[in-house]
Amino acid sequence: MNLKQLEYFVRVAELGSFSKASRVLGVAQPALSRQVRALETDLRETLLLRDGRGVRMTQAGQRLFEHSIGILQLVARAREDIAASRDEPSGRIVVGMPPSIARRLTLPLVEAFAARLPRARLAIVEGLSAHIAEWTVTGRVDVGVLYDPEPQPGLETVPLFEEPLALIERGSARARRTAATVPLHELSRHPLILPERAHTFRKLLETQAAHAGIKLDIAWEVSGVPIIIDLVCAGHGCAVLTPNAVSAWPRGAELVVRPIVEPALRTVLSIATSSRRRPTPLGTRVIALLRELAQRMAPAR
């Protein structure tokens, strides 16, 4: 097993095709197939199943894929660390964040990154906070921006700011006449459109509702913030989101945002890194940049 074989295997698995991987890597397809076959022979396992539509990973292939991502990331970081010690930071860094934050943070982050770190490359991936935490621990993401990270081995977090959770309603005349806040117990009167249970907002809301003895009326389960907002605008129910999540989307102006009180529900946006890997100079610069940009997004106190 060598790094070239792992790199080829990962690219084929990601793209689901030897021919696509051949074009991306600039390697002849027969040579690519030989390297992957040699890897399978060395491990005595079938890693990829080939059919007329492409390839898919076996269970053994999926396990090796997860290991390979971490191995290749570590090698890349080692190279970047050595190169950065000679001059300004270089190399590639992957930042993961939820869609609601990515919508507001991606453009300023890309612009600041290009201006301050011209020799480096930036990749941004989106996912639920729970997924970003997992990707950060396994090395698929170098720096995560996520809500309410749960304590776990291998993950270090630094809070950025707190933000209230709010009931999001369609902007009817009645909704605009209601109070600026809404007590938690009144949520039982509203049909709710909530993300799946893996979402941090959903966990926080259900935990507090259970403590208060409140039964929530969950009308729809939808994980995408833009789709949730569209459904609220169309009158299919209400949502529980942060004000930042609403303001990030064009249709946010059609909605009424009422912070939840009695008790107030607040979520914490944090930066996460792996405690098992020493930050590279590039990683340190990007974390500082994210903290600077997040201060502009923080709600006024």
Side-chain angles (χ1 to χ4, degrees):
M1 185 189 305
N2 58 54
L3 291 175
K4 180 179 291 186
Q5 290 172 341
L6 293 181
E7 181 184 2
Y8 289 177
F9 164 71
V10 165
R11 191 63 68 188
V12 173
E14 285 179 333
L15 297 174
S17 166
F18 275 93
S19 59
K20 291 179 182 178
S22 174
R23 290 193 295 271
V24 170
L25 292 167
V27 177
Q29 189 169 332
L32 189 59
S33 297
R34 284 195 300 271
Q35 291 287 349
V36 174
R37 181 68 70 185
L39 186 58
E40 291 179 317
T41 300
D42 182 44
L43 294 174
R44 299 179 184 177
E45 289 280 0
T46 298
L47 303 174
L48 299 171
L49 296 177
R50 300 153 178 84
D51 56 38
R53 292 172 296 179
V55 300
R56 57 187 175 86
M57 286 183 282
T58 63
Q59 288 187 353
Q62 181 65 49
R63 292 198 300 273
L64 180 63
F65 180 83
E66 293 170 359
H67 286 298
S68 299
I69 291 291
I71 292 168
L72 294 173
Q73 290 275 11
L74 284 173
V75 172
R77 276 192 288 269
R79 289 179 176 146
E80 292 159 13
D81 192 16
I82 300 303
S85 66
R86 298 192 301 265
D87 201 356
E88 67 181 62
S90 61
R92 179 175 182 268
I93 189 165
V94 182
V95 176
M97 59 184 86
S100 57
I101 294 298
R103 178 81 179 188
R104 296 193 62 187
L105 196 55
T106 296
L107 179 58
L109 176 59
V110 167
E111 290 177 341
F113 190 96
R116 303 184 194 183
L117 300 163
R119 294 186 56 196
R121 292 177 295 140
L122 171 68
I124 296 173
V125 297
E126 294 184 6
L128 296 180
S129 291
H131 297 159
I132 293 170
E134 177 186 343
W135 297 341
T136 304
V137 171
T138 59
R140 296 184 66 176
V141 162
D142 299 300
V143 180
V145 181
L146 65 170
Y147 284 107
D148 300 313
E150 296 182 353
Q152 59 178 294
L155 193 69
E156 288 187 356
T157 60
V158 177
L160 291 172
F161 59 78
E162 287 188 352
E163 192 172 5
L165 286 182
L167 180 69
I168 312 302
E169 300 177 274
R170 185 165 62 168
S172 64
R174 175 185 172 280
R176 295 186 186 283
R177 287 197 301 269
T178 57
T181 59
V182 56
L184 177 65
H185 67 84
E186 287 191 12
L187 263 59
S188 61
R189 305 176 187 174
H190 299 272
L192 298 177
I193 306 166
L194 298 179
E196 62 185 0
R197 282 191 165 87
H199 201 291
T200 56
F201 296 174
R202 171 78 176 266
K203 291 180 181 178
L204 176 60
L205 180 62
E206 289 193 329
T207 298
Q208 293 298 323
H211 287 165
I214 299 167
K215 182 175 177 56
L216 301 176
D217 177 11
I218 301 174
W220 304 97
E221 288 187 305
V222 180
S223 291
V225 172
I227 302 173
I228 290 176
I229 289 176
D230 284 343
L231 289 171
V232 174
C233 290
H236 292 288
C238 302
V240 175
L241 298 168
T242 64
N244 260 328
V246 176
S247 64
W249 303 97
R251 300 197 70 178
E254 303 175 33
L255 303 174
V256 174
V257 178
R258 301 170 63 195
I260 299 168
V261 296
E262 300 176 18
L265 302 186
R266 305 187 70 83
T267 185
V268 180
L269 187 70
S270 300
I271 287 181
T273 55
S274 171
S275 62
R276 298 167 181 163
R277 296 185 295 274
R278 185 171 63 87
T280 65
L282 176 58
T284 300
R285 292 282 296 274
V286 169
I287 290 171
L289 186 55
L290 286 168
R291 292 173 67 94
E292 175 187 328
L293 295 174
Q295 289 178 355
R296 305 175 192 174
M297 293 174 51
R301 292 184 177 273

